[in-house]
């Protein structure tokens, strides 16, 4: 949406609800926005496909749908997860477990695929474990699942999102110092809360500034020059926290 003085930016949140996402997008289109940068929700493929079919200028951010011919910018999630898992294995952990959400979104699938690839290359396919938290109740899921994984021999965790990290850290902290000191931990994105935890938490730092700038550049190019499809996968930076 443009004012006479320049570009007007407006924002809306879907709260990870595809119906709310559709309503927010419809409201923006009705207000006459020139284009949209969208972080799509789980099961929102039909809504995104409809926008593409109606030639609405859009760029997907962080997540995308391979079967839809649409522009997107995202982290190279496969490589980020692969590097994180290799870090845990190289640090001497034998059976790292990945904690994820059971959602049908490409970024989550790619993070799981990267983890499994690293485990397979290390000859640990039989030790690969992915546990899924409920997105609407991550803390309760963590309380139920993580102790079972540790009892089963898991000695490290790779958390697939920041919210998963926070939910699981509460659970691990409640398990006591004996567990905290033995478990390897890696997450996606840093969090000030990590500084207050009694063990180092390494993490993948996403290049958010780069992704945002690229998404804006692509969207403006689409608005001005037409609906040409462009895609960008940016590399994250692994931040290792010393013991």
């Amino acid at each position: 949406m443009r004012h006479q003085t320049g570009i007007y930016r407006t924002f809306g949140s879907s709260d990870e609800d595809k119906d709310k996402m559709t309503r927010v997008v419809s409201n923006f289109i009705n207000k006459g926005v020139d284009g949209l940068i969208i972080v799509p929700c789980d099961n929102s493929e039909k809504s995104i496909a409809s926008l593409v079919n109606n030639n609405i200028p859009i760029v997907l951010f962080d997540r995308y749908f391979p079967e839809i011919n649409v522009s997107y910018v995202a982290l190279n999630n496969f490589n980020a997860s692969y590097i994180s898992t290799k870090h845990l294995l190289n640090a001497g952990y034998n059976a790292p477990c990945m904690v994820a959400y059971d959602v049908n979104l490409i970024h989550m699938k790619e993070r799981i695929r990267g983890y499994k690839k690293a485990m397979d290359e290390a000859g640990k396919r039989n030790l690969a474990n992915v546990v899924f938290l409920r997105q609407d109740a991550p803390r309760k899921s963590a309380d139920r699942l993580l102790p079972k994984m540790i009892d089963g021999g898991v000695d490290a965790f790779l958390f697939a999102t920041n919210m998963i990290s926070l939910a699981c850290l509460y659970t691990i902290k409640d398990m006591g110092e004996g567990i905290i000191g033995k478990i390897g931990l890696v997450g996606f994105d840093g969090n000030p809360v990590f500084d207050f935890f009694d063990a180092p938490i390494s993490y993948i730092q996403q290049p958010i500034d780069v992704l945002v700038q690229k998404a804006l550049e692509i969207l403006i190019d689409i608005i001005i020059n037409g609906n040409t499809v462009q895609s960008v996968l940016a590399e994250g930076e692994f931040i290792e926290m010393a013991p």
Side-chain angles (χ1 to χ4, degrees), residues 5-243:
T5 55
I7 297 175
Y8 171 71
R9 300 177 180 90
T10 185
F11 303 88
S13 175
S14 69
D15 296 321
E16 297 293 345
D17 182 302
K18 65 180 180 65
D19 294 327
K20 184 175 180 181
M21 187 199 84
T22 300
R23 291 195 299 271
V24 170
V25 168
S26 294
N27 287 338
F28 286 158
I29 292 173
N30 291 336
K31 290 178 180 178
V33 297
D34 295 312
L36 295 159
I37 297 173
I38 301 173
V39 180
C41 304
D42 194 20
N43 298 316
S44 63
E45 294 96 321
K46 290 183 179 179
S47 295
I48 298 300
S50 177
L51 294 172
V52 172
N53 292 336
N54 284 287
N55 296 316
I56 304 297
I58 64 171
V59 177
L60 301 187
F61 189 89
D62 184 48
R63 311 160 185 180
Y64 58 96
F65 302 108
E67 65 276 13
I68 301 176
N69 193 31
V70 62
S71 296
Y72 64 83
V73 297
L75 176 71
N76 186 339
N77 288 288
F78 169 85
N79 203 39
S81 189
Y82 176 86
I83 290 170
S84 299
T85 307
K86 294 286 282 188
H87 164 79
L88 289 169
L89 293 169
N90 292 337
Y93 296 103
N94 183 58
C97 169
M98 185 163 195
V99 188
Y101 287 135
D102 189 11
V103 294
N104 189 35
L105 289 168
I106 190 67
H107 75 300
M108 195 65 64
K109 290 181 177 180
E110 285 294 279
R111 291 178 187 186
I112 292 171
R113 189 170 72 90
Y115 160 77
K116 289 183 175 179
K117 178 67 172 179
M119 292 293 285
D120 188 37
E121 287 186 355
K124 295 179 180 291
R125 179 183 296 183
N126 62 323
L127 293 176
N129 275 300
V130 181
V131 295
F132 296 102
L133 305 189
R134 286 182 52 183
Q135 200 165 4
D136 60 346
R139 175 68 194 280
K140 288 184 179 180
S141 299
D143 286 346
R144 178 172 55 86
L145 293 171
L146 264 59
K148 293 180 182 178
M149 301 311 298
I150 292 174
D151 288 345
V154 165
D155 57 1
F157 290 105
L158 170 58
F159 305 127
T161 73
N162 208 345
M163 291 304 296
I164 288 175
S165 295
L166 295 178
C168 291
L169 291 179
Y170 277 113
T171 297
I172 294 170
K173 189 172 182 64
D174 287 346
M175 295 175 72
E177 295 295 329
I179 295 296
I180 294 172
K182 297 177 181 179
I183 297 293
L185 302 171
V186 174
F188 273 78
D189 299 313
N191 192 301
V193 173
F194 291 0
D195 295 335
F196 297 96
F197 200 70
D198 296 331
I201 306 168
S202 300
Y203 60 92
I204 287 289
Q205 181 171 289
Q206 300 192 58
I208 297 298
D209 291 347
V210 172
L211 292 172
V212 169
Q213 182 63 36
K214 201 64 186 177
L216 287 169
E217 290 175 0
I218 293 173
L219 183 60
I220 291 170
D221 184 47
I222 293 171
I223 292 170
I224 294 174
N225 299 314
N227 197 23
T228 56
V229 174
Q230 305 174 53
S231 60
V232 173
L233 286 180
E235 298 297 331
E237 179 183 1
F238 188 82
I239 307 297
E240 182 177 358
M241 304 304 291

